[in-house]
């Protein structure tokens, strides 16, 4: 997994609440058995004017010029600014895969849906929760200044604006540690093999019906 | 010991270890696998040279991509090549690793959230995960069940554990009796309307109260299934005699002496008197009427006898913008009567409403009536091969077909349109599924979430109609 320590990049403002995972990456692209290549289909239904098809070459598809990511000033954006309940809906990890593949390293919003929030950390993307007033301010500043950039500093747990204003954000210690170091969860968990085996032995004694019933 | 909630008990009983910052390693009893969110997990396992920790804690079935029309030709004849590869990949992965899979034409195949309970793989007191947000369904059995991402699917395969942290406790207490024609689906849509789509975020919801203890397992599954539509990953109901009666005798459920031992162990699967809930929401069952969603989020819901909302009555600018956007997408006008919305398609199915009871409720309304001329297609998709067989044994397939519905093979179907069942742009669909997001049932499609009885009523009327009128007739 990619490390995330500090990132500065152009901000793309996605000004709508309850952006769901079907909107982030529509279902037809979930048929892929790979983890990569989802970036060109990110926000497919609002980004293009035609209907997207899995495995399609998107180079010549008609663009929805009104959509934020199609506007020249946001071309190199890597910080997504969003509204409440971002990422609601399904558990598809294809949503963070698509954001990451497109080039987003961090998403800032007043709130996130739980599963999406969790999935981001598994893919080197930092979801940052700031309160609604601050997010409003960032939307306003972003609209006013072309090339508006934010610096998201995980070590300091701060978002820094171009004028030097700093906003603190919360992040769980364990998640921060994994992201700062790009750690693989499975390796970490397997350091506890003895604990897992001991728990399992006890669990089997207490609930023997949970073992051996389902056989391939 | 201090009074604990059902969630507290389930969480503590499965905690392998807990760290100081509150993150916990939770032991997982059952992982359900399907073709969409598992291929990258198996690939990760293979690349790292790891093996599944426990084969007997996994059960797989393809559901999202499978065609629901005639499919006796097998996987090789799935027309869409990308879908075909995904279903084949699941077959190959399960065969390679020795994981039990009900393949596409096995009579036990179906939607994972229908198959798990039906087989007795989902048991009270267990932890259940699946790479699918509707995994909360299994919480109906007094289990701790939630959706996970693909990285976590791989993590559970490799370690039998999930890194997680304790959520907050929420109790939704429903008291009183549901009226005639009002179902579990109407109740949960009403609850989502009250809570909002993010109202349950960060919480594990327990559905309790006198109403819940009257509701069947099918109804409880419908309610827990949609907890995620209120933002909560987990929905749960305490174990009672209704739970035990459903589980007993199922293929993977404990038998004989072991059954009695299990029943004794499950007697504690309820919240203690005086247990602390961070949030309590009270719902009066008598207030719930048949529901219809009008917008593009499940919280955009009203009773069938109400009007489409007017954005001018909303003061919050972000919400007002949301209503305007939804009205425009749905092709509806403010203050329009719900009963004036004409339907192009009807979908009865999905992990929310494709169990035998759902089939019966829809058939009761369809019986002796005909699908209206303006409805292009009305499909009934049972949740599993076993639900299909049971419905056919009861003659329900004939009732549907005589009324002009199509009777299909089991799968997720038009709930998310990964297979050929989908809406064309601007088509209105009365759907018993769980999400009315833009494009969910097909690019530009307009979804209205309803109960099976309301969907059948809409099919025979051509517009939404209060199903109670058809029941009294």
């Amino acid at each position: 997994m990619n490390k995330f320590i500090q990132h500065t990049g152009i901000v793309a403002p996605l000004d709508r609440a309850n952006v769901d995972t079907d909107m982030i990456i529509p279902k037809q692209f979930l048929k892929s058995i790979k983890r990569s290549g989802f970036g060109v289909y990110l926000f497919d239904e609002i980004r293009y004017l035609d209907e997207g098809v899995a495995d399609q070459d998107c180079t010549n598809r008609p663009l929805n010029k009104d959509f934020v990511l199609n506007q020249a000033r946001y071309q190199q954006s890597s910080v997504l600014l969003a509204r409440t309940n971002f990422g609601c809906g399904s558990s598809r990890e294809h949503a963070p895969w698509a954001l990451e593949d497109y080039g987003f390293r961090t998403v800032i919003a007043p709130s996130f849906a739980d599963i999406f929030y969790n999935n981001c950390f598994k893919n080197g993307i930092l979801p940052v929760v700031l309160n609604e007033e601050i997010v409003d301010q960032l939307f306003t500043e972003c609209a006013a200044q072309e090339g508006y950039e934010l610096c998201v500093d995980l070590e300091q747990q701060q978002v820094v604006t171009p004028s030097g204003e700093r906003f603190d954000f919360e992040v769980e210690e364990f998640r921060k540690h994994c992201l700062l170091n790009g750690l693989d969860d499975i390796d970490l968990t397997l350091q506890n093999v003895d604990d897992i085996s001991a728990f399992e032995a006890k669990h089997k004694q207490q609930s023997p019906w949970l073992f051996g019933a389902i056989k391939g | 010991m201090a009074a604990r909630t059902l969630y507290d008990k389930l969480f503590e009983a499965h905690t392998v270890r807990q760290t100081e910052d509150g993150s916990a390693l939770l032991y997982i009893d059952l992982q359900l696998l399907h073709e969409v969110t598992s291929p990258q997990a198996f690939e990760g396992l293979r690349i790292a040279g790891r093996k599944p920790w426990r084969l007997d804690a996994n059960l797989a079935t393809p559901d999202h991509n499978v065609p629901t029309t005639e499919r006796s030709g097998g996987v090789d004849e799935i027309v869409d090549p990308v879908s075909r590869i995904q279903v084949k990949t699941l077959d190959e992965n399960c065969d390679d690793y020795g994981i039990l899979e009900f393949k596409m034409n096995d009579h036990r195949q179906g939607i994972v959230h229908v198959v798990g309970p039906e087989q007795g793989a989902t048991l009270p007191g267990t932890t259940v995960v699946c790479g699918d947000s509707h995994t909360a369904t299994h919480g109906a059995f007094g289990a701790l069940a939630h959706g996970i991402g693909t990285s976590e699917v791989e993590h559970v395969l490799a370690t039998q554990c999930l890194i997680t942290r304790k959520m907050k406790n929420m109790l939704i207490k429903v008291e009183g009796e549901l009226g005639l024609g009002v179902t579990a689906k109407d109740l949960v849509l009403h609850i989502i309307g009250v809570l909002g789509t993010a109202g349950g975020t960060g919480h594990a919801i327990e559905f309790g109260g006198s109403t819940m203890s009257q509701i069947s397992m099918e109804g409880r599954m419908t309610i827990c299934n949609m907890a995620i539509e209120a933002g909560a990953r987990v929905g749960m109901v305490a174990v009672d005699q209704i739970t035990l009666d459903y589980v007993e005798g199922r293929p993977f459920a404990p038998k004989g002496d072991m059954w009695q031992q299990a029943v004794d162990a499950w007697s504690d699967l309820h919240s203690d008197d005086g247990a602390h809930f961070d949030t309590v929401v009270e719902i009066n069952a008598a207030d719930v009427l048949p529901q219809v969603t009008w917008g593009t989020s499940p919280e955009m819901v009203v009773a069938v006898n109400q009007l489409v909302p007017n954005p001018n009555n909303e003061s919050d600018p972000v919400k007002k913008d949301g209503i305007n956007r939804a009205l425009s997408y749905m092709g509806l006008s403010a203050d329009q009567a719900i009963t004036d919305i004409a339907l192009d398609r009807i979908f009865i199915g999905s992990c929310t409403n494709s169990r035998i009871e759902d089939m019966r409720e829809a058939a009761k309304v369809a019986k002796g009536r005909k699908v209206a001329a303006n409805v292009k297609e009305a499909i009934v998709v049972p949740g599993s091969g076993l639900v299909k067989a049971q419905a056919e044994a009861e003659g329900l397939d004939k009732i549907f077909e005589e009324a002009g519905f199509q009777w299909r093979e089991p799968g997720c179907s038009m709930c998310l349109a990964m297979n050929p069942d989908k809406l064309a742009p601007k088509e209105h669909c009365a759907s018993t599924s769980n999400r009315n997001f833009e494009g969910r049932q097909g690019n530009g499609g307009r979804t209205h979430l309803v109960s099976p009885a309301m969907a059948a009523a809409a099919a025979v009327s051509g517009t939404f109609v209060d199903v109670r009128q058809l029941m009294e007739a």
Side-chain angles (χ1 to χ4, degrees):
Chain A
M1 187 177 78
N2 285 332
K3 289 181 186 180
F4 189 110
I5 298 168
Q6 190 197 69
H7 176 79
T8 302
I10 291 180
V11 179
L14 186 60
D15 195 2
R16 57 199 283 173
N18 297 315
V19 169
D20 58 69
T21 52
D22 281 79
M23 195 176 289
I24 298 172
I25 182 85
K27 68 271 168 185
Q28 62 267 39
F29 306 110
L30 273 50
K31 296 178 185 182
S32 169
I33 57 169
K34 294 180 291 210
R35 248 175 210 268
S36 56
F38 294 101
V40 288
Y41 309 121
L42 177 70
F43 299 118
D44 199 87
E45 286 186 5
I46 45 177
R47 178 171 165 191
Y48 300 101
L49 294 172
D50 62 345
E51 185 179 349
V53 180
D55 280 349
Q56 178 180 17
D57 175 1
C58 295
T59 335
N60 294 315
R61 292 177 62 193
L63 296 174
N64 172 11
K65 298 270 192 303
D66 295 334
F67 180 59
V68 59
L69 297 185
N70 291 331
Q71 294 165 21
R73 59 186 284 189
Y74 302 119
Q75 281 316 297
Q76 298 302 317
S77 55
S78 57
V79 177
L80 188 64
L81 184 62
R83 294 288 186 186
T84 52
N85 201 25
F86 187 84
C88 61
S90 89
S91 65
R92 61 188 70 164
E93 201 160 314
H94 311 68
W97 292 342
L99 287 164
E100 197 265 346
D101 195 53
Y102 181 91
F104 285 113
R105 295 299 322 276
T106 174
V107 185
I108 301 172
S111 60
F112 291 91
D114 287 341
I115 304 181
F116 174 83
Y117 183 81
N118 196 35
N119 281 339
C120 282
F121 284 97
K122 313 284 182 193
N123 293 281
I125 297 178
L126 177 62
V128 175
V129 178
L130 293 177
N131 76 38
E132 257 179 296
E133 280 166 33
I134 298 172
V135 169
D136 264 342
Q137 179 188 329
L138 298 180
F139 267 98
T140 309
E141 289 181 10
C142 183
Q145 184 191 332
E146 193 160 336
Y148 182 78
E149 289 192 336
L150 285 172
C151 169
V152 178
D153 186 335
L154 177 57
E155 245 168 355
Q156 299 300 317
Q157 295 183 216
Q158 282 182 330
V159 174
V160 189
T161 71
S163 65
E165 208 173 344
R166 291 171 177 271
F167 300 109
D168 293 333
F169 63 85
E170 296 291 321
V171 58
E172 285 160 33
E173 208 44 53
F174 176 74
R175 289 179 155 149
K176 179 177 176 180
H177 173 72
C178 290
L179 213 46
L180 283 174
N181 298 290
L183 296 178
D184 175 308
D185 280 354
I186 297 179
D187 281 336
L188 285 175
T189 298
L190 288 176
Q191 291 171 8
N192 303 303
V193 162
D194 293 346
D195 287 348
I196 301 172
S197 299
F199 176 92
E200 193 167 60
K202 193 181 77 184
H203 196 48
K204 189 171 180 178
Q205 209 171 19
Q206 286 169 348
S207 309
W209 55 87
L210 298 179
F211 291 78
I214 302 172
K215 288 194 193 94
Chain B
M1 192 182 283
R4 296 182 299 162
T5 65
L6 172 58
Y7 173 63
D8 294 339
K9 293 178 186 180
L10 292 167
F11 194 92
E12 284 165 28
H14 290 85
T15 301
V16 173
R17 65 196 301 272
Q18 189 135 21
T19 55
E20 279 170 16
D21 80 330
S23 97
L25 206 53
L26 201 69
Y27 188 84
I28 301 302
D29 293 314
L30 175 68
Q31 168 150 258
L32 297 163
L33 298 157
H34 63 81
E35 78 278 20
V36 180
T37 54
S38 69
Q40 296 88 351
F42 280 112
E43 188 193 44
L45 212 59
R46 201 168 279 125
I47 289 169
R50 297 184 177 117
K51 288 224 161 5
W53 181 280
R54 256 184 74 191
L55 294 175
D56 63 343
N58 293 281
L59 176 62
T61 192
D63 53 8
H64 286 62
N65 280 273
V66 298
T68 59
T69 44
E70 210 286 319
R71 63 191 194 198
S72 56
V75 178
D76 285 333
E77 290 185 11
I78 296 179
V79 177
D80 179 346
V82 202
S83 289
R84 187 167 64 233
I85 289 170
Q86 205 166 45
V87 174
K88 276 193 166 178
T89 304
L90 179 69
D91 291 355
E92 286 163 13
N93 283 326
C94 291
D95 290 348
D96 283 358
Y97 286 106
I99 288 170
L100 178 61
E101 181 198 9
F102 298 151
K103 293 194 165 66
M104 188 177 79
N105 283 343
D106 187 305
H107 68 287
R108 298 165 296 180
Q109 177 269 345
I111 306 172
V112 280
H113 307 310
V114 175
V115 170
E118 177 176 83
Q119 291 294 328
T122 303
L123 291 172
T126 56
T127 43
V128 181
V129 295
C130 174
D132 191 288
S133 60
H134 292 111
T135 308
T137 309
H138 308 268
F141 292 82
L144 172 52
H146 58 73
I148 56 177
T150 297
S151 295
E152 291 175 318
V153 172
E154 182 184 342
H155 190 279
V156 173
L157 279 170
T159 70
Q160 210 51 50
C161 292
L162 189 67
I163 301 171
T164 186
R165 59 191 296 120
K166 191 107 184 270
M167 295 175 241
K168 288 187 210 158
N169 278 289
M170 179 185 286
L171 174 64
I172 296 185
K173 203 170 170 208
V174 193
E175 297 290 350
E177 282 198 30
L178 291 172
L180 175 78
V182 181
T183 65
K185 180 64 167 289
D186 300 300
L187 174 57
V188 73
L189 285 171
H190 174 85
I191 289 170
I192 294 162
V194 171
L195 279 184
T197 52
T201 302
H203 290 80
I205 297 180
E206 178 175 346
F207 297 95
S210 62
T211 316
M212 288 310 301
S213 55
Q214 304 291 319
I215 291 179
S216 68
M217 285 316 295
E218 284 86 351
R220 292 178 191 183
M221 284 189 259
T222 298
I223 291 167
C224 291
N225 173 277
M226 290 191 74
I228 188 69
E229 272 31 275
R233 298 174 75 174
V234 168
M236 281 167 303
V237 179
V239 172
D240 61 11
Q241 194 57 43
I242 293 175
T243 324
L244 301 180
D245 290 345
Y246 181 97
V247 173
E248 189 170 13
R250 304 228 165 229
F252 299 132
K255 311 264 180 329
D257 289 348
M258 194 100 86
W259 170 253
Q260 203 44 56
Q261 197 187 334
V263 169
D264 292 345
W266 297 338
S267 64
D268 191 39
L269 293 173
H270 54 81
S271 292
D272 298 329
D273 287 340
H276 172 73
F277 287 91
D278 302 275
T279 313
V280 178
V281 178
E282 294 188 5
I283 302 281
N284 182 356
D287 292 345
V288 184
L289 299 175
Q291 304 283 302
V292 178
T293 66
W294 57 269
T296 53
S297 162
E299 70 181 9
M300 294 173 163
V301 64
V302 292
V304 63
N305 57 5
Q306 290 182 299
L307 306 178
V308 172
N310 190 325
N312 294 333
N313 299 334
E314 178 59 61
S315 52
D316 179 333
V318 175
K319 279 190 185 153
K320 186 172 182 168
D321 177 51
I323 296 174
N324 276 317
R325 208 189 284 268
L327 290 180
S328 154
Y329 180 85
M330 295 295 289
L332 298 175
S333 30
D335 298 327
Q336 179 179 355
I338 290 292
T339 48
D340 282 346
I341 301 171
L343 283 319
D344 301 291
R345 288 178 198 272
I346 310 294
F347 170 57
I348 297 173
S350 89
C351 59
T352 312
N353 282 126
S354 64
R355 298 178 182 84
I356 189 65
E357 191 177 272
D358 303 313
M359 302 288 116
R360 289 176 188 147
E361 280 176 13
K364 223 182 280 175
V365 176
K367 191 170 186 178
R369 297 188 167 101
K370 292 283 178 201
V371 171
N374 63 298
V375 174
K376 296 171 193 161
E377 189 180 67
I379 64 174
V380 185
V381 186
S384 71
L386 293 175
V387 170
K388 183 171 186 252
Q390 175 68 31
E392 288 173 357
E394 297 177 19
L396 305 184
D397 56 325
K398 294 285 172 291
I399 293 175
F400 285 122
E401 284 176 343
E402 276 163 23
F405 289 83
Q406 296 178 23
W407 179 245
R408 297 289 190 90
E409 298 296 326
C412 297
S413 182
M414 204 189 273
C415 173
L416 84 170
M418 281 189 75
N419 77 342
D421 308 332
K422 59 180 80 164
L423 300 181
K426 300 191 177 177
E427 283 184 341
H428 285 269
C429 178
S431 177
T432 66
S433 55
N434 40 55
R435 288 192 178 129
N436 50 353
F437 297 156
E438 288 185 21
R440 169 85 178 178
Q441 293 191 293
N443 190 282
R446 295 163 170 172
T447 304
H448 301 275
L449 304 175
V450 289
S451 73
M454 280 288 287
V460 299
S461 307
T463 59
F464 283 115
V465 61
D466 189 334
V467 66
R468 295 172 296 177
Q469 290 169 12
L470 300 188
M471 297 173 109
E472 283 154 13

